[in-house]
Amino acid sequence: MATKRLARQLGLIRRKSTAPANGNVGRSKSKQLFDYLIVIDFESTCWNDGIRHRSQEIIEFPAVLLNTSTGEIESEFHAYVQPQEYPILSEFCMELTGIKQDQVDEGVPLKICLSQFCKWIQKIQQEKKIIFATGISDISTSEVNLCAFVTWSDWDLGVCLEYECKRKQLIKPVFLNSWIDLRVTYKIFYKRKPKGLSGALEEVGIQFLGREHFGLDDSRNTALLAWKMIRDGCLMKITRSLNKVPTKRNPSILARSLNTDRVEETSACMSSVHDPSIYDREPENTIKSHQKLQMRPAGVNSPIKF
């Protein structure tokens, strides 16, 4: 009986590369730390005129909820955001992202968007019994589903949202202080440097679906890549945390604390950013290539690469 069970398990493992597993079977086979991943990919104001002093603002706020056992996207959040510091989008920005001026004009300020996002988070927490990684400790339980945020590079949560909340004196939900950088994870797991998100997808045999640099499509495709990596045996781990707690930098240590999570879930939208010192410098190699364009010195016209 044990031999027959082992044979069935091995068969399931082989089929995982082409078909999702059902229920919790996939998680037990792949030994994932997280039951769910929330993938975020902001789009922001950007220019191609060499001016360095402009501040970027989020203009599209998407998120998709990926079930790491089935590979299904079970819920989505999407909002257009009004830029208030530079309310008129550049022609370059509209051409790159496909986002039009009237769409952001009809959007909501970032403060309102964050409130709407928190309501979406609270809804999926109630429906799916989700808690978030906190960067503190690991408490194993079968009564809740652990969830982590995923971005392509540290730019979205480590730079863009951080700086904008700082400038506008907005309270940032504390659960956005920890995330998985899928670009770094991809590089370590496959032992090769990805050529952008679309290049990474192509390398693993997945065609990009939708429009590149449109945040919701980028989020969905990042989720597809994460699911492919999980099927290939990649263990998703927190790679960056802004929480001001004494934790080891080794990303193999799972950050989870039920008590802390329950407090954070209740007051997620009422807590300020823990460590304002992160605004003093930008993480290296985290800004997306199209955001780097506005940082070029005037007169430099190097080719655009994505």
Side-chain angles (χ1 to χ4, degrees):
M1 181 63 71
T3 303
K4 192 177 292 185
R5 187 185 307 114
L6 177 59
R8 283 197 299 267
Q9 290 175 345
L10 291 174
L12 282 172
I13 292 173
R14 293 191 189 102
R15 289 198 299 269
K16 279 180 65 181
S17 61
T18 56
N22 293 322
N24 291 324
V25 177
R27 185 188 178 215
S28 63
K29 298 290 185 295
S30 61
K31 298 180 181 178
Q32 287 299 310
L33 304 175
F34 300 104
D35 305 88
Y36 286 95
L37 299 175
I38 297 178
V39 182
I40 287 177
D41 194 300
F42 299 138
E43 296 301 326
S44 73
T45 52
C46 53
W47 302 265
N48 191 26
D49 54 11
I51 297 178
R52 300 173 63 101
H53 66 273
R54 289 176 177 163
S55 300
Q56 293 170 262
E57 297 174 272
I58 294 170
I59 57 175
E60 185 189 4
F61 195 125
V64 300
L65 179 70
L66 174 71
N67 185 318
T68 62
S69 294
T70 67
E72 297 294 325
I73 293 178
E74 297 187 359
S75 184
E76 295 184 342
F77 173 86
H78 184 261
Y80 289 111
V81 186
Q82 292 177 358
Q84 297 174 318
E85 296 166 330
Y86 294 93
I88 305 302
L89 300 182
S90 69
E91 290 295 329
F92 172 76
C93 183
M94 290 188 287
E95 181 179 351
L96 180 69
T97 65
I99 298 172
K100 305 304 180 185
Q101 185 66 48
D102 60 344
Q103 290 176 304
V104 296
D105 288 343
E106 295 171 3
V108 297
L110 181 59
K111 180 178 181 180
I112 303 301
C113 180
L114 286 172
S115 176
Q116 294 173 348
F117 180 67
C118 283
K119 290 180 180 178
W120 177 73
I121 289 292
Q122 291 168 0
K123 179 182 177 182
I124 62 174
Q125 281 183 314
Q126 293 173 359
E127 291 176 351
K128 304 178 187 301
K129 299 181 180 179
I130 286 175
I131 63 172
F132 292 98
T134 64
I136 297 177
S137 62
D138 179 15
I139 300 177
S140 180
T141 176
S142 60
E143 298 178 355
V144 295
N145 292 313
L146 190 64
C147 182
F149 289 92
V150 175
T151 60
W152 182 256
S153 86
D154 287 333
W155 177 85
D156 299 87
L157 297 178
V159 176
C160 187
L161 183 63
E162 284 291 330
Y163 275 76
E164 188 168 354
C165 287
K166 168 70 173 181
R167 293 193 313 271
K168 296 180 178 179
Q169 298 183 339
L170 301 179
I171 296 173
K172 192 192 75 172
V174 293
F175 53 68
L176 291 174
N177 277 352
S178 300
W179 63 90
I180 298 167
D181 179 349
L182 197 65
R183 184 174 67 177
V184 167
T185 305
Y186 179 100
K187 182 178 180 180
I188 295 172
F189 181 68
Y190 290 117
K191 296 181 175 57
R192 59 177 181 262
K193 185 177 180 180
K195 297 179 180 179
L197 175 59
S198 60
L201 286 163
E202 183 178 356
E203 286 178 347
V204 297
I206 300 176
Q207 183 179 359
F208 189 99
L209 301 177
R211 189 190 196 286
E212 290 187 57
H213 305 300
F214 178 65
L216 185 57
D217 285 344
D218 283 347
S219 298
R220 290 167 175 168
N221 281 277
T222 303
L224 285 176
L225 179 59
W227 173 236
K228 168 61 176 173
M229 293 171 65
I230 288 172
R231 298 200 321 266
D232 285 349
C234 180
L235 183 63
M236 294 294 164
K237 307 168 187 175
I238 295 293
T239 60
R240 182 78 186 275
S241 178
L242 304 178
N243 290 320
K244 197 173 183 179
V245 293
T247 57
K248 296 182 180 180
R249 295 183 63 86
N250 186 344
S252 66
I253 298 178
L254 171 63
R256 173 160 65 175
S257 171
L258 285 178
N259 293 333
T260 304
D261 273 311
R262 286 168 181 161
V263 173
E264 290 185 352
E265 289 164 13
T266 303
S267 60
C269 299
M270 301 297 292
S271 302
S272 58
V273 177
H274 290 312
D275 188 4
S277 64
I278 62 172
Y279 297 111
D280 296 337
R281 61 182 179 86
E282 296 184 9
E284 296 180 0
N285 302 320
T286 59
I287 303 180
K288 293 179 180 177
S289 53
H290 72 269
Q291 272 77 23
K292 285 183 178 179
L293 294 172
Q294 64 168 305
M295 302 299 290
R296 293 177 183 155
V300 176
N301 294 311
S302 57
I304 300 172
K305 297 181 180 179
F306 300 114

